[in-house]
Structures are given as structure tokens and as C-alpha cells.
Amino acid sequence: MTSASPVVEIKQLTKRYGDFTALDSLSLSVGAGQILGFIGPNGAGKTTTIRILVGLSKATSGTASISGADCLQESRKIKRLVGYMPDRFGSYDNMRVAEYLDFFGAAYGIGRRERTRRIAEVLEISNATHMKDLFVEALSHGMQQRIGVARTLLHDPQVLILDEPANGLDPQARIDMRILLLKLAEMGKTLIVTSHILPELARVCDLVAIITKGKLRAFGTLDEIMRDIRQKRTFEIQLVNVEQVDRVAALVAAHLSAPPEDVTVAPAETMVRFATSLSDLELAPLLTHLIEQGETVAQYREVTSDLEDAFLSVTKHDDGPATATADTADQDERPAGSEEQAASS
Amino acid sequence: MNPVIQREFFGILRSPKAFAALLALTVAFSLAVLMRWPSDAKVDLSGEQSIGVFRVFGYGLLAGVVFLVPAFPASSIVREKNSGTLALLLNSPLTPVSIYVGKLAGVLLFSLLVLVSSLPAAAACYAMGGVDLVGGIGLLYLVLALLVVQYATLGLFVSSHVQSADAGVRITYGIVLGLCFLTLVPHAFYQGGTGWMAEISQWLRYLSPLPVIMRTMGQGSLASRGLMEGGGGTLEFIFLTIGSWLVFGIATLTRLNYRIYDRSRAQGVMTDDRQLSSRMARRLLFVVDPQRRKAGIPWYLNPVMVKEFRCRRFGRSQWLLRLVAGCALVSMLLTFAAATSVVSWGVETIGGLMVFLQVILVVVLTPSLTAGLISGERDSGGWELLRITPLSPFKIVRGKLLSVVWTLLLVLMATLPGYLVMIYIKPVMWLQVNLVLICLAWTAVYTLAVGAAVGSLFRNTAVATTTSYVTVMSLFLIPFLVWLGRDAPFGHETVETVLLLNPVGAALSVIESPGFTNYDLLPAAWWVAGAVSGFMFLVFGVQVWRLTRAV
């Protein structure tokens, strides 16, 4: 699911360091005002992708563009279009926040008067106005992250790329960061955010890309990914007494014509679980059927999956050695939804 | 065995740089002796040749100790503090004393290796004859051993107070050079005199190892005036050096506990938020008030240059103004002292001293400003941020270099009144003064280029600072070590050639400073300085280009 006009577009991006393939035919696109959660284990290729996007690194093959500007060929244009916050804050000793932002504003060529206004504005957006007279190196990590976001906003970029913005933040700071990211998306900014804190990411992202060993394993909305990676959904039927358990399990298996391994019982919990690929509409008669058979059902619910489940599900099948040579892109290994995403863009 | 000693000592030994330094020193000592080893069958009854070799060896060893020893302890404690391992050590059953002893012993054991690696060369000197075993070689090693402990304790002391490894290296080298050279200056004016100033200047001189070493080498000490030198001083030097160990040691031990982590996050009150009277008072006191809110960077200034001025601890405007004021004061004091001292100084000698002081200032100041220009950014993560701004590599480099150029220019300009006084006293010297000023400008450019190029080759600021200091100081001290050995063991041509290595010799020659009048160094010294500076700027430029391109 991307908007009609993608702002960030990556096609068949490959990056090799000698024999090591850090990125392997990565393709994805992100529309205006969308937040892309870019996740993957350490060394998966997230930072390599980001560095290519901001013009700090050169792709071996493939293209990456932002608002139509090629990330490598038009690096000057890219610098104006992108606000990048690396995972390291990059502080300067002995400088106050206002001086720090003033320097970066001047580096982006923003006029003095306009710069003063922008500094006040970005500090306001990142809720950091009270920090302007503080020394940068003395700020706490959470405060530095906010100033980092303020710095990326100074030249009013169209795209913000934030590498691990929630890393090391306390719960309150993390909530503040989440609110800030949503606020930026509301302002029409396109955001690419990497993080290891998946529940946090799941709350703000419109799109999720899961990358492991340089390959895109899944890309789409969280719902799309969940649907793609989990062919069967899991449901739980909470019963009131233990005698019901086997009886209900048999009824469920018979009603759904399910294979025995898909229906499991947990007598201690007075629970029956089953996995099914049926739609909600097809499943609806099951509850009626159970009640008609005289069974008392305390609860009937779907076991929800979250981004962590999706991530683990994608990465657990990928614990082999790192790709050492360029893989011939096997279509079967293409990430769920990636073809559609690329096509829709 | 104390685990800290084990880790420190073997940690240093495992470092390829330490191994390279040891190897380089051993090769240098051997070559120095081999170069002057007699190649014919003539008997040197006077022992002049062997003493000449011993001088080169002794000064080389002193330079080795001065350059190498402070680097390791200067970053030792602060590096552990910043990486968090010091907290683990303090939280372990190890006592602060055992941690301190462990760190000190690690450095001392390495330094012992440096001294041991020089022993074959020392034995060769002794074998040539003419060198006293106890009063010559023995005393030299005793003084060096005392210095090693002094520099190690000093380095650890500084390291326990600073917030970054490169600051530790900078400050330690600054103090070491101050102890070696600046302590000699007051004595040059008051020697032979009486009164408390003469007494203080005499005791200050005892802090420097140079007079003792020079006497050991059979030479009059630096800036001494023949019979007025007074002699002695070895015992005083030993007494003061051992005293300094204790002071530095105790002061460091008092920091090795919770206090080292006690750092206030208080930011101070901005001057703009103070009362009018307070604002006025601060304006008078600071001229450029560091607590005042800064106006934005104007369009006509290079933002990187302004950033460099603002973010370095030493080099912000208020410090520069203090430095200039200090230079002007020293320049005035120099004139006053020359006019009132018991010694009759010629204008040439005063000129030589001014050149000498300016060069020390430039050599001490410049590597600390230039070494971290690139490595500091890479160390802090700022380089990545600079790369994603629209600033071109050329603009970044220009801004960074300009920030140092302005500082050095201010330092050089601050002593102009002194030279004007010289021209007033002896008008015929105006051409010489001009030539000297050109030499000094070249010295500044040369130091800047070397410091920046060498520093840019390293990712770690502390390593970059150490290497820059060692390179710059080597380039400035080696010609003078050779000059000290003029006539024996080095001939006129050798000395003249080596003096071309930097423009200071030319400046001293132009101003007709004693000992330099026989050398014709201009304009060759300018050409050499230009070529070396050009090459170094090229290295710096290539390194910046390499670091800014997308790969």
C-alpha cells in the first residue's frame, strides 16, 4: 500500500563490498506523508540502504531516488530534500543547542533571520524550546534525540530518515518520540524509521519493510505482512469446564474439516485452539454451531499477531550463513508483497 | 600480579604503534652511533668524537622520552572512564591505590623497554672511550628514569581531570614542553642576579631537565651566560622531580573514586538573563562573553570556521583575546626585563628570544588546534553530519584551516610591538625584522600544514593529537639537536642542511642570534617550507576528498 506518487523509490538496489553482499536487489517505495518502519536484525543492511539514500554511499547496481532526484547523481539536491538523523548524535563540545542548530542552519544556507525563525520553530515542533541555552554534550540521550530531530527539520526537508530514534530512550521519551513522528507525518513529511523496538514502530508505521542479510523479506502494511507470512490465523475458545475440552475439539475439527494437528487442546486452561485459513465469514457459523450443540463458551477470540511475531517469523527461517556472493534473485524468495508494491509505485 | 599492571603493560605491548615506536627508536639510536662510528684507524685521544656521539645519543633519548612517554598515561584514565571500564574497576575489590599503581607500572614497564632498547647504543658510546660511566651515561639514565616517572604521574594526573583523551594528550604535552623550555626563560634574564625574582627563576630552571642533561653532555646549559650560570642544580632537579611525583600521585589518587564521575550539569545563567549591572561587569571582564547568546552566523563567514571557534574549549574568542593580551604582556615584560636585567642583552639576543618564544607558542598551540580538525569530527560522529549538508569539501576544509590561521595570525600579531621596539632601538634592523616575520609566518603555515595532514590520517583524536605533536616537535627539535652538536660531531654543512628542515633556523640566522650567524639559510628555508607545506596541504586535501566521497 503506497500512495499514488512515491517520494522514495528504490529499485533493485544492490551493494557489494568485495565478496560480501550487503544489499541484494532491494526494491521498495514510500509515498508522501507515510512512515516506513525499516526493520531487521543487526547487520541486515538497513544502515547501508539509508547511507545510499542520503548519498553517503554508492550502490553497486540499482537505483534509489527521492522525489525524482537520483540519490547518487544529484547529491546536492538530495541533501536539500532529506533530513538524516544517524544513530550517533554527533555532538560538538562547548556548543549550546541554539549555536549548534545555528551552525547546521548556516551550513544549509538558510539566511540569518530565517534561520532564527526556523530554529524556534523546530525546537517548538520537537518540544525542546527549553533546551536552547543548554550545552549539547550535557544533554541526556532523550534530549539529544529531540535535538537530532530538530536538526533534521531545519531545512524543511521532504523526507526524514531517522536511524534508531527510539534507541536508549526511557518510556516517556519513547512516547514523546512516537507523538513527534506522527506529528511530522501529519505535516506531510515522508519518514523512514529504523528501530529495534518493534511494538513502538508498529504503532506509528504505515508501512513496514523487513530486511535480513541484505534481502527484503517482507514489505507492505502490517496487516498485509501478517496475512502474507501467516497463512493461517489462530483462534482460541475458552470453555467453562474441563469436560468440554475434548468434546469441543472434536466438534471444531468436524465442523472445519480441519486436520488433527490444527486443533489443539489445553485442558488445564479449559481451552481449545485451532488454526485456520478460513475467512471471518466462513468462520462465523462455528460459534452458533457450538452453542446449538449445548456447549457453553466463555470466550471466542482470535490470537492477534504483532510486528514482533512477523519479524520473528521472517527471520527465524533465515539463520543460515550470510550471503557471501551475489545471489541469483530467486523469485520464490521475493518478499511478500514486494512485487505488488513495486508495481503499484 | 596486579591485574591492572598485566592488562596495561600487555595492552601497550600488543599495540602495533608501541612496537613501531620501540623499533624506530632502537634503529634511530643504532644509526646515530653508527653514523659517527670511527671509520679510520686514527686514535681520538681527546675523546671529542665519542662525546659528540654521546651527545646525539643522549639528546635523542631525551627526545624519545619527552615525545613517547606522556602519550600513554595522558589518555589512560580518561579513556577508561569514558568507555565505562573505570567504573567497573572502582566497583571491584581493587583499591584505588592498586588501580593507580597498576596503570603507573604499565607505563613504566613500557618506558623501561624504551630505555633498555637504547642500552646497546649507550654501551657503544662507552666503548668508544671519553665518556664517564657514572657521571655521563649513569647520570643520563638516572635523569631520564626520573623524567619517565614524572611524565607518567603527570599524564595520569591530567588524565584523571579531563573529559576526553585528546584533551589529556594536549594538556600533558603542553605541560611537558612548558616544563622543558618555558621554565628556562626567566632565568635567562635574572641569572647572576640577586633578590627573590632571581631566586624564583633559578628554582624554575631546576624544573627543566635540559640544564642537567646539557651539563651531563659537557655543554653549558641552554640560555646560560658562561661563568654566570652558577653550575649545580642536579640535586635540586632530582628533589623537585621526586616531589612532583608525589604531588601528581596523591592528586590523582584523590580523584580515583566517586569524584571522577562528579560532574555538574549546571549550565550557568546566560548573561542575557542577568541584571544590567552584571551584564555590564561581564562585558568589561570578558570583552567576548562566553555566556552571552550568540547572534546567528552571518552569510559572509564560513560556518565551519565559526563552528570551530565556538566548539573548541581553547580557541573561543574570549580565550584568543586572553592569549593575545598575554603575548602583549610577555612582549612588554621581555623588553622591561632586557632593559633592567643584570645582563647586557643585545637587540639580536632579545630578537632571538622572541623568535624562540613565538616558535614554542606556535609549536605547542598548533598541533592541538589542527590534529583534531578531521579526526575530532570522525570521533564524535560530526563528520557524517557535515557530509550530508550542502557544504562542499573545499568549504569544509577552508573553514577548518581558516579557524587555525586566524588564531595563529593573532598570536603572531600580538608580538609585533616587540619587533617595533627593536626597530626603534636599532632602525637598521627593519629589513631583518621583516625577514624574521616572513620566516615566522612560514613557521605557522608549515606547522599548520603538518599538524593538519598528520592528524587527518587518524580516526581517533587522541592518537591524531599525539602523532601530530610528535611529528611537529620532531621537525622543530631535531634541527636544534643537530645544531647543538655543531662542529662536533656535525660539520657546518650538515647543520646548515638540517636547519633548512624548518624556517626557525632561518629566522634566528636573520636576526643574527648567537650561534646562528654563520648559516646562510635564506631563501632556501622558505622554499623548503613552501614545498613541505604544499605537500602536506595536498595530503590533507586528498584525505578530505577520500573521506567525503560516496563509496
Side-chain angles (χ1 to χ4, degrees), chain B residues 85-114:
Chain B
T85 47
L86 184 66
L88 299 177
L89 283 179
L90 290 173
N91 204 32
S92 74
L94 289 169
T95 59
V97 174
S98 58
I99 295 171
Y100 181 73
V101 169
K103 289 199 159 289
L104 186 63
V107 178
L108 294 183
L109 283 172
F110 172 73
S111 309
L112 191 69
L113 279 182
V114 173

PDB file of all heavy atoms in Angstrom, chain B residues 85-114:
ATOM      1  N   THR B  85      34.886   1.302  31.719  1.00  0.00           N
ATOM      2  CA  THR B  85      35.598   0.239  32.428  1.00  0.00           C
ATOM      3  C   THR B  85      36.184   0.718  33.751  1.00  0.00           C
ATOM      4  O   THR B  85      36.427  -0.087  34.646  1.00  0.00           O
ATOM      5  CB  THR B  85      36.727  -0.342  31.559  1.00  0.00           C
ATOM      6  OG1 THR B  85      37.471   0.735  31.004  1.00  0.00           O
ATOM      7  CG2 THR B  85      36.183  -1.203  30.431  1.00  0.00           C
ATOM      8  N   LEU B  86      36.390   2.027  33.885  1.00  0.00           N
ATOM      9  CA  LEU B  86      36.914   2.525  35.160  1.00  0.00           C
ATOM     10  C   LEU B  86      35.882   2.312  36.268  1.00  0.00           C
ATOM     11  O   LEU B  86      36.229   1.954  37.401  1.00  0.00           O
ATOM     12  CB  LEU B  86      37.281   4.012  35.044  1.00  0.00           C
ATOM     13  CG  LEU B  86      37.932   4.593  36.284  1.00  0.00           C
ATOM     14  CD1 LEU B  86      39.296   3.964  36.538  1.00  0.00           C
ATOM     15  CD2 LEU B  86      38.100   6.093  36.182  1.00  0.00           C
ATOM     16  N   ALA B  87      34.616   2.497  35.913  1.00  0.00           N
ATOM     17  CA  ALA B  87      33.554   2.278  36.905  1.00  0.00           C
ATOM     18  C   ALA B  87      33.571   0.817  37.361  1.00  0.00           C
ATOM     19  O   ALA B  87      33.396   0.522  38.551  1.00  0.00           O
ATOM     20  CB  ALA B  87      32.202   2.628  36.299  1.00  0.00           C
ATOM     21  N   LEU B  88      33.826  -0.084  36.423  1.00  0.00           N
ATOM     22  CA  LEU B  88      33.886  -1.496  36.781  1.00  0.00           C
ATOM     23  C   LEU B  88      35.070  -1.767  37.707  1.00  0.00           C
ATOM     24  O   LEU B  88      34.966  -2.511  38.677  1.00  0.00           O
ATOM     25  CB  LEU B  88      34.016  -2.369  35.525  1.00  0.00           C
ATOM     26  CG  LEU B  88      32.875  -2.284  34.514  1.00  0.00           C
ATOM     27  CD1 LEU B  88      33.182  -3.141  33.292  1.00  0.00           C
ATOM     28  CD2 LEU B  88      31.576  -2.752  35.153  1.00  0.00           C
ATOM     29  N   LEU B  89      36.204  -1.121  37.382  1.00  0.00           N
ATOM     30  CA  LEU B  89      37.397  -1.319  38.216  1.00  0.00           C
ATOM     31  C   LEU B  89      37.172  -0.768  39.624  1.00  0.00           C
ATOM     32  O   LEU B  89      37.524  -1.405  40.622  1.00  0.00           O
ATOM     33  CB  LEU B  89      38.604  -0.614  37.599  1.00  0.00           C
ATOM     34  CG  LEU B  89      39.279  -1.292  36.410  1.00  0.00           C
ATOM     35  CD1 LEU B  89      40.433  -0.441  35.916  1.00  0.00           C
ATOM     36  CD2 LEU B  89      39.798  -2.663  36.806  1.00  0.00           C
ATOM     37  N   LEU B  90      36.578   0.425  39.695  1.00  0.00           N
ATOM     38  CA  LEU B  90      36.346   1.046  41.013  1.00  0.00           C
ATOM     39  C   LEU B  90      35.335   0.244  41.814  1.00  0.00           C
ATOM     40  O   LEU B  90      35.334   0.290  43.045  1.00  0.00           O
ATOM     41  CB  LEU B  90      35.855   2.490  40.833  1.00  0.00           C
ATOM     42  CG  LEU B  90      36.896   3.484  40.311  1.00  0.00           C
ATOM     43  CD1 LEU B  90      36.256   4.832  40.021  1.00  0.00           C
ATOM     44  CD2 LEU B  90      38.040   3.649  41.300  1.00  0.00           C
ATOM     45  N   ASN B  91      34.486  -0.486  41.102  1.00  0.00           N
ATOM     46  CA  ASN B  91      33.468  -1.283  41.774  1.00  0.00           C
ATOM     47  C   ASN B  91      33.976  -2.668  42.137  1.00  0.00           C
ATOM     48  O   ASN B  91      33.274  -3.455  42.750  1.00  0.00           O
ATOM     49  CB  ASN B  91      32.246  -1.401  40.841  1.00  0.00           C
ATOM     50  CG  ASN B  91      30.995  -1.676  41.604  1.00  0.00           C
ATOM     51  OD1 ASN B  91      30.855  -1.236  42.731  1.00  0.00           O
ATOM     52  ND2 ASN B  91      30.087  -2.431  41.002  1.00  0.00           N
ATOM     53  N   SER B  92      35.208  -2.963  41.728  1.00  0.00           N
ATOM     54  CA  SER B  92      35.791  -4.278  42.018  1.00  0.00           C
ATOM     55  C   SER B  92      36.530  -4.214  43.352  1.00  0.00           C
ATOM     56  O   SER B  92      36.696  -3.129  43.920  1.00  0.00           O
ATOM     57  CB  SER B  92      36.749  -4.658  40.898  1.00  0.00           C
ATOM     58  OG  SER B  92      37.920  -3.881  41.016  1.00  0.00           O
ATOM     59  N   PRO B  93      37.000  -5.350  43.853  1.00  0.00           N
ATOM     60  CA  PRO B  93      37.750  -5.304  45.124  1.00  0.00           C
ATOM     61  C   PRO B  93      39.088  -4.583  45.020  1.00  0.00           C
ATOM     62  O   PRO B  93      39.754  -4.380  46.027  1.00  0.00           O
ATOM     63  CB  PRO B  93      37.976  -6.794  45.444  1.00  0.00           C
ATOM     64  CG  PRO B  93      36.999  -7.547  44.621  1.00  0.00           C
ATOM     65  CD  PRO B  93      36.766  -6.727  43.399  1.00  0.00           C
ATOM     66  N   LEU B  94      39.496  -4.197  43.826  1.00  0.00           N
ATOM     67  CA  LEU B  94      40.769  -3.470  43.696  1.00  0.00           C
ATOM     68  C   LEU B  94      40.651  -2.099  44.369  1.00  0.00           C
ATOM     69  O   LEU B  94      39.641  -1.411  44.195  1.00  0.00           O
ATOM     70  CB  LEU B  94      41.105  -3.257  42.224  1.00  0.00           C
ATOM     71  CG  LEU B  94      41.532  -4.477  41.410  1.00  0.00           C
ATOM     72  CD1 LEU B  94      41.574  -4.129  39.922  1.00  0.00           C
ATOM     73  CD2 LEU B  94      42.893  -4.962  41.861  1.00  0.00           C
ATOM     74  N   THR B  95      41.700  -1.740  45.097  1.00  0.00           N
ATOM     75  CA  THR B  95      41.679  -0.426  45.742  1.00  0.00           C
ATOM     76  C   THR B  95      42.154   0.630  44.736  1.00  0.00           C
ATOM     77  O   THR B  95      42.842   0.287  43.762  1.00  0.00           O
ATOM     78  CB  THR B  95      42.641  -0.398  46.949  1.00  0.00           C
ATOM     79  OG1 THR B  95      43.948  -0.691  46.455  1.00  0.00           O
ATOM     80  CG2 THR B  95      42.242  -1.407  47.998  1.00  0.00           C
ATOM     81  N   PRO B  96      41.805   1.904  44.969  1.00  0.00           N
ATOM     82  CA  PRO B  96      42.301   2.951  44.061  1.00  0.00           C
ATOM     83  C   PRO B  96      43.823   2.924  43.943  1.00  0.00           C
ATOM     84  O   PRO B  96      44.362   3.155  42.869  1.00  0.00           O
ATOM     85  CB  PRO B  96      41.819   4.242  44.724  1.00  0.00           C
ATOM     86  CG  PRO B  96      40.610   3.841  45.489  1.00  0.00           C
ATOM     87  CD  PRO B  96      40.866   2.439  45.962  1.00  0.00           C
ATOM     88  N   VAL B  97      44.495   2.607  45.070  1.00  0.00           N
ATOM     89  CA  VAL B  97      45.963   2.585  45.015  1.00  0.00           C
ATOM     90  C   VAL B  97      46.435   1.499  44.047  1.00  0.00           C
ATOM     91  O   VAL B  97      47.334   1.724  43.219  1.00  0.00           O
ATOM     92  CB  VAL B  97      46.557   2.347  46.425  1.00  0.00           C
ATOM     93  CG1 VAL B  97      48.069   2.179  46.351  1.00  0.00           C
ATOM     94  CG2 VAL B  97      46.200   3.502  47.347  1.00  0.00           C
ATOM     95  N   SER B  98      45.796   0.301  44.118  1.00  0.00           N
ATOM     96  CA  SER B  98      46.267  -0.767  43.235  1.00  0.00           C
ATOM     97  C   SER B  98      45.930  -0.456  41.774  1.00  0.00           C
ATOM     98  O   SER B  98      46.682  -0.802  40.872  1.00  0.00           O
ATOM     99  CB  SER B  98      45.723  -2.126  43.658  1.00  0.00           C
ATOM    100  OG  SER B  98      44.322  -2.092  43.662  1.00  0.00           O
ATOM    101  N   ILE B  99      44.798   0.226  41.544  1.00  0.00           N
ATOM    102  CA  ILE B  99      44.474   0.628  40.163  1.00  0.00           C
ATOM    103  C   ILE B  99      45.537   1.613  39.662  1.00  0.00           C
ATOM    104  O   ILE B  99      46.081   1.481  38.573  1.00  0.00           O
ATOM    105  CB  ILE B  99      43.072   1.276  40.087  1.00  0.00           C
ATOM    106  CG1 ILE B  99      41.997   0.248  40.448  1.00  0.00           C
ATOM    107  CG2 ILE B  99      42.804   1.833  38.694  1.00  0.00           C
ATOM    108  CD1 ILE B  99      40.610   0.843  40.620  1.00  0.00           C
ATOM    109  N   TYR B 100      45.850   2.587  40.532  1.00  0.00           N
ATOM    110  CA  TYR B 100      46.828   3.611  40.150  1.00  0.00           C
ATOM    111  C   TYR B 100      48.200   2.989  39.917  1.00  0.00           C
ATOM    112  O   TYR B 100      48.851   3.252  38.895  1.00  0.00           O
ATOM    113  CB  TYR B 100      46.903   4.679  41.245  1.00  0.00           C
ATOM    114  CG  TYR B 100      47.875   5.788  40.926  1.00  0.00           C
ATOM    115  CD1 TYR B 100      47.575   6.746  39.961  1.00  0.00           C
ATOM    116  CD2 TYR B 100      49.104   5.872  41.565  1.00  0.00           C
ATOM    117  CE1 TYR B 100      48.456   7.759  39.644  1.00  0.00           C
ATOM    118  CE2 TYR B 100      50.002   6.877  41.258  1.00  0.00           C
ATOM    119  CZ  TYR B 100      49.677   7.819  40.301  1.00  0.00           C
ATOM    120  OH  TYR B 100      50.567   8.816  39.987  1.00  0.00           O
ATOM    121  N   VAL B 101      48.605   2.147  40.880  1.00  0.00           N
ATOM    122  CA  VAL B 101      49.927   1.504  40.750  1.00  0.00           C
ATOM    123  C   VAL B 101      49.960   0.657  39.479  1.00  0.00           C
ATOM    124  O   VAL B 101      50.959   0.636  38.752  1.00  0.00           O
ATOM    125  CB  VAL B 101      50.232   0.648  42.009  1.00  0.00           C
ATOM    126  CG1 VAL B 101      51.454  -0.231  41.791  1.00  0.00           C
ATOM    127  CG2 VAL B 101      50.453   1.562  43.199  1.00  0.00           C
ATOM    128  N   GLY B 102      48.862  -0.032  39.213  1.00  0.00           N
ATOM    129  CA  GLY B 102      48.785  -0.861  38.015  1.00  0.00           C
ATOM    130  C   GLY B 102      48.982  -0.043  36.757  1.00  0.00           C
ATOM    131  O   GLY B 102      49.768  -0.399  35.874  1.00  0.00           O
ATOM    132  N   LYS B 103      48.294   1.078  36.697  1.00  0.00           N
ATOM    133  CA  LYS B 103      48.395   1.919  35.492  1.00  0.00           C
ATOM    134  C   LYS B 103      49.798   2.518  35.368  1.00  0.00           C
ATOM    135  O   LYS B 103      50.375   2.541  34.287  1.00  0.00           O
ATOM    136  CB  LYS B 103      47.357   3.049  35.549  1.00  0.00           C
ATOM    137  CG  LYS B 103      45.956   2.523  35.363  1.00  0.00           C
ATOM    138  CD  LYS B 103      45.003   3.600  34.960  1.00  0.00           C
ATOM    139  CE  LYS B 103      43.792   3.014  34.298  1.00  0.00           C
ATOM    140  NZ  LYS B 103      44.058   2.480  32.967  1.00  0.00           N
ATOM    141  N   LEU B 104      50.305   2.993  36.514  1.00  0.00           N
ATOM    142  CA  LEU B 104      51.637   3.603  36.507  1.00  0.00           C
ATOM    143  C   LEU B 104      52.690   2.570  36.103  1.00  0.00           C
ATOM    144  O   LEU B 104      53.543   2.831  35.245  1.00  0.00           O
ATOM    145  CB  LEU B 104      51.935   4.162  37.902  1.00  0.00           C
ATOM    146  CG  LEU B 104      53.218   4.954  38.072  1.00  0.00           C
ATOM    147  CD1 LEU B 104      53.181   6.205  37.201  1.00  0.00           C
ATOM    148  CD2 LEU B 104      53.406   5.358  39.525  1.00  0.00           C
ATOM    149  N   ALA B 105      52.561   1.379  36.696  1.00  0.00           N
ATOM    150  CA  ALA B 105      53.566   0.340  36.420  1.00  0.00           C
ATOM    151  C   ALA B 105      53.515  -0.077  34.953  1.00  0.00           C
ATOM    152  O   ALA B 105      54.558  -0.347  34.348  1.00  0.00           O
ATOM    153  CB  ALA B 105      53.327  -0.862  37.323  1.00  0.00           C
ATOM    154  N   GLY B 106      52.321  -0.118  34.370  1.00  0.00           N
ATOM    155  CA  GLY B 106      52.197  -0.477  32.959  1.00  0.00           C
ATOM    156  C   GLY B 106      52.995   0.470  32.082  1.00  0.00           C
ATOM    157  O   GLY B 106      53.765   0.053  31.218  1.00  0.00           O
ATOM    158  N   VAL B 107      52.842   1.773  32.356  1.00  0.00           N
ATOM    159  CA  VAL B 107      53.563   2.783  31.568  1.00  0.00           C
ATOM    160  C   VAL B 107      55.064   2.696  31.845  1.00  0.00           C
ATOM    161  O   VAL B 107      55.894   2.765  30.930  1.00  0.00           O
ATOM    162  CB  VAL B 107      53.052   4.203  31.909  1.00  0.00           C
ATOM    163  CG1 VAL B 107      53.816   5.249  31.132  1.00  0.00           C
ATOM    164  CG2 VAL B 107      51.577   4.316  31.610  1.00  0.00           C
ATOM    165  N   LEU B 108      55.409   2.508  33.145  1.00  0.00           N
ATOM    166  CA  LEU B 108      56.830   2.484  33.491  1.00  0.00           C
ATOM    167  C   LEU B 108      57.533   1.283  32.867  1.00  0.00           C
ATOM    168  O   LEU B 108      58.675   1.387  32.417  1.00  0.00           O
ATOM    169  CB  LEU B 108      57.003   2.476  35.015  1.00  0.00           C
ATOM    170  CG  LEU B 108      56.531   3.750  35.735  1.00  0.00           C
ATOM    171  CD1 LEU B 108      56.808   3.664  37.221  1.00  0.00           C
ATOM    172  CD2 LEU B 108      57.212   4.990  35.153  1.00  0.00           C
ATOM    173  N   LEU B 109      56.836   0.161  32.835  1.00  0.00           N
ATOM    174  CA  LEU B 109      57.455  -1.030  32.239  1.00  0.00           C
ATOM    175  C   LEU B 109      57.722  -0.810  30.751  1.00  0.00           C
ATOM    176  O   LEU B 109      58.753  -1.204  30.229  1.00  0.00           O
ATOM    177  CB  LEU B 109      56.549  -2.253  32.437  1.00  0.00           C
ATOM    178  CG  LEU B 109      56.579  -2.856  33.845  1.00  0.00           C
ATOM    179  CD1 LEU B 109      55.510  -3.928  33.990  1.00  0.00           C
ATOM    180  CD2 LEU B 109      57.955  -3.434  34.150  1.00  0.00           C
ATOM    181  N   PHE B 110      56.769  -0.145  30.094  1.00  0.00           N
ATOM    182  CA  PHE B 110      56.965   0.142  28.670  1.00  0.00           C
ATOM    183  C   PHE B 110      58.140   1.103  28.494  1.00  0.00           C
ATOM    184  O   PHE B 110      58.992   0.908  27.620  1.00  0.00           O
ATOM    185  CB  PHE B 110      55.696   0.743  28.053  1.00  0.00           C
ATOM    186  CG  PHE B 110      55.893   1.226  26.649  1.00  0.00           C
ATOM    187  CD1 PHE B 110      56.019   0.317  25.613  1.00  0.00           C
ATOM    188  CD2 PHE B 110      55.989   2.579  26.367  1.00  0.00           C
ATOM    189  CE1 PHE B 110      56.234   0.753  24.306  1.00  0.00           C
ATOM    190  CE2 PHE B 110      56.203   3.019  25.067  1.00  0.00           C
ATOM    191  CZ  PHE B 110      56.316   2.102  24.037  1.00  0.00           C
ATOM    192  N   SER B 111      58.175   2.134  29.356  1.00  0.00           N
ATOM    193  CA  SER B 111      59.261   3.113  29.258  1.00  0.00           C
ATOM    194  C   SER B 111      60.605   2.447  29.525  1.00  0.00           C
ATOM    195  O   SER B 111      61.624   2.795  28.916  1.00  0.00           O
ATOM    196  CB  SER B 111      59.047   4.243  30.256  1.00  0.00           C
ATOM    197  OG  SER B 111      57.746   4.739  30.117  1.00  0.00           O
ATOM    198  N   LEU B 112      60.571   1.479  30.442  1.00  0.00           N
ATOM    199  CA  LEU B 112      61.798   0.729  30.743  1.00  0.00           C
ATOM    200  C   LEU B 112      62.292   0.031  29.474  1.00  0.00           C
ATOM    201  O   LEU B 112      63.490   0.007  29.186  1.00  0.00           O
ATOM    202  CB  LEU B 112      61.493  -0.310  31.832  1.00  0.00           C
ATOM    203  CG  LEU B 112      62.705  -1.002  32.449  1.00  0.00           C
ATOM    204  CD1 LEU B 112      63.487  -0.017  33.291  1.00  0.00           C
ATOM    205  CD2 LEU B 112      62.262  -2.177  33.316  1.00  0.00           C
ATOM    206  N   LEU B 113      61.341  -0.484  28.709  1.00  0.00           N
ATOM    207  CA  LEU B 113      61.711  -1.134  27.443  1.00  0.00           C
ATOM    208  C   LEU B 113      62.381  -0.145  26.498  1.00  0.00           C
ATOM    209  O   LEU B 113      63.340  -0.483  25.810  1.00  0.00           O
ATOM    210  CB  LEU B 113      60.458  -1.713  26.767  1.00  0.00           C
ATOM    211  CG  LEU B 113      59.963  -3.058  27.263  1.00  0.00           C
ATOM    212  CD1 LEU B 113      58.751  -3.502  26.450  1.00  0.00           C
ATOM    213  CD2 LEU B 113      61.060  -4.106  27.145  1.00  0.00           C
ATOM    214  N   VAL B 114      61.832   1.091  26.485  1.00  0.00           N
ATOM    215  CA  VAL B 114      62.433   2.130  25.629  1.00  0.00           C
ATOM    216  C   VAL B 114      63.881   2.357  26.047  1.00  0.00           C
ATOM    217  O   VAL B 114      64.794   2.401  25.209  1.00  0.00           O
ATOM    218  CB  VAL B 114      61.634   3.458  25.728  1.00  0.00           C
ATOM    219  CG1 VAL B 114      62.345   4.573  24.984  1.00  0.00           C
ATOM    220  CG2 VAL B 114      60.231   3.275  25.184  1.00  0.00           C
TER     221      VAL B 114
END
